[in-house]
Amino acid sequence: GWALDASGVSAQAAAAAASALGVTGEPRLEWGSWVVGSNDGTGPSLTLSADGQGALSYADPRNDVWYCDPSVREEATSSDGAVEGGATEGAGAAPSVVEPCGERDLGPAPSEDEAARQLRDLMSRLGVDPAGYEVVVEDYGDPYVFATAYHVVDGQRTGLTWSASFSGAGVTWLSGFTASLVDLGEYDVVSPAEAVERVNDPRFGAGWSGPIALARDASAAAETGVVDEPDGTPPAPAAPGSAFAWPVTDVTIVEARLGVAVTSTRDGAAVLAPTYELTADDGSVWSVIAVAERHLDFAR
């Protein structure tokens, strides 16, 4: 297991990160996070959160194809003769809506290789070694390309990431974690069969079963070729004495993979704990902590 040490989050750390990314201004504390730069969407800004992961986010709206410079809007409004409320001057004048901005041509988004290189460069500038990450780029065509660096430990992704979006003008946003990893040593883990039993144990919740509903819906859509659109008719009310529906999912686990996943302690700290990823016969995935009970604190 590993602890995530976010104790380095401070005004000084926020200032250093802002300087590395070219954000000007002094750090200010807003709702528990250190913020540097513009807060009106007119320029780059950076936020460093005092949470268990030391989450960092950066955005530069000027590199967004939909960015509208306030001065452009004001100039267009003035030249059009519009007044507050969108109406032009003069008695009986029809309302006029000024639309001075639209999608801008910032040139082609960077190639997948270039986006990966730029993400690694941004991480390095922030003191994050990209060597411990697997970078994947998703290019949906202009005007943006998205790159994600997946944190890897012992050859497996941990769920921690750095992500960025790029336009032809440069990076539009960047997010990731700044906490360092501290080795907590080795933990005894339960067997895959015991992990399956834990999914049914209320002490461990019900596991993570979100994909099951999605898998079921996808299967139904595949069979019929179309998903029925609601017709606006409300369901019939339950009849007196009728049983209450209590859905139970019945699946067969066919694969168990032991890895690590982010979990939080009661005080908000974050750790990477040994965790099983259980795959069912319908393709749904369940997750349950793998460490033996002697390493768990059930105290309330």
Side-chain angles (χ1 to χ4, degrees):
W2 291 264
L4 273 72
D5 183 0
S7 60
V9 172
S10 65
Q12 293 75 17
S19 176
L21 296 175
V23 182
T24 59
E26 295 297 321
R28 57 188 184 276
L29 191 61
E30 296 182 359
W31 296 97
S33 298
W34 293 102
V35 181
V36 183
S38 170
N39 60 2
D40 59 2
T42 60
S45 63
L46 176 140
T47 300
L48 182 61
S49 301
D51 57 14
Q53 297 185 28
L56 180 146
S57 61
Y58 161 84
D60 189 345
R62 301 171 303 178
N63 292 339
D64 193 311
V65 297
W66 293 104
Y67 172 66
C68 184
D69 190 323
S71 63
V72 174
R73 181 176 293 277
E74 291 173 5
E75 180 180 349
T77 302
S78 175
S79 63
D80 190 74
V83 297
E84 184 177 357
T88 54
E89 295 180 347
S96 172
V97 178
V98 178
E99 296 291 350
C101 297
E103 183 176 1
R104 302 182 299 160
D105 183 4
L106 300 178
S111 66
E112 294 187 16
D113 288 344
E114 177 61 16
R117 186 199 67 77
Q118 289 189 36
L119 176 56
R120 292 189 180 97
D121 177 65
L122 290 167
M123 294 167 64
S124 297
R125 285 156 58 182
L126 292 168
V128 180
D129 184 2
Y133 293 78
E134 177 187 345
V135 179
V136 176
V137 179
E138 297 172 310
D139 186 357
Y140 299 109
D142 289 334
Y144 303 108
V145 62
F146 303 91
T148 301
Y150 294 93
H151 183 245
V152 176
V153 169
D154 292 338
Q156 299 190 47
R157 295 179 181 179
T158 65
L160 298 169
T161 63
W162 279 87
S163 299
S165 171
F166 302 93
S167 71
V171 59
T172 58
W173 59 261
L174 169 75
S175 64
F177 71 102
T178 62
S180 58
L181 263 63
V182 179
D183 193 341
L184 295 178
E186 296 186 353
Y187 291 79
D188 295 331
V189 298
V190 299
S191 69
E194 290 175 287
V196 174
E197 291 301 319
R198 283 187 171 185
V199 177
N200 295 314
D201 188 333
R203 295 178 302 168
F204 297 92
W208 177 53
S209 57
I212 288 179
L214 297 179
R216 187 183 301 117
D217 291 343
S219 176
E223 293 175 3
T224 63
V226 65
V227 177
D228 291 335
E229 182 178 352
D231 60 6
T233 303
S242 60
F244 297 108
W246 195 261
V248 174
T249 300
D250 187 3
V251 298
T252 300
I253 301 300
V254 296
E255 181 181 352
R257 183 179 69 86
L258 180 61
V260 293
V262 181
T263 188
S264 298
T265 63
R266 283 194 295 271
D267 60 3
V271 296
L272 283 176
T275 303
Y276 274 111
E277 178 187 88
L278 307 174
T279 303
D281 52 359
D282 64 354
S284 56
V285 178
W286 303 70
S287 179
V288 66
I289 194 165
V291 298
E293 286 195 20
R294 71 185 188 88
H295 300 298
L296 299 177
D297 180 8
F298 290 105
R300 298 295 182 184

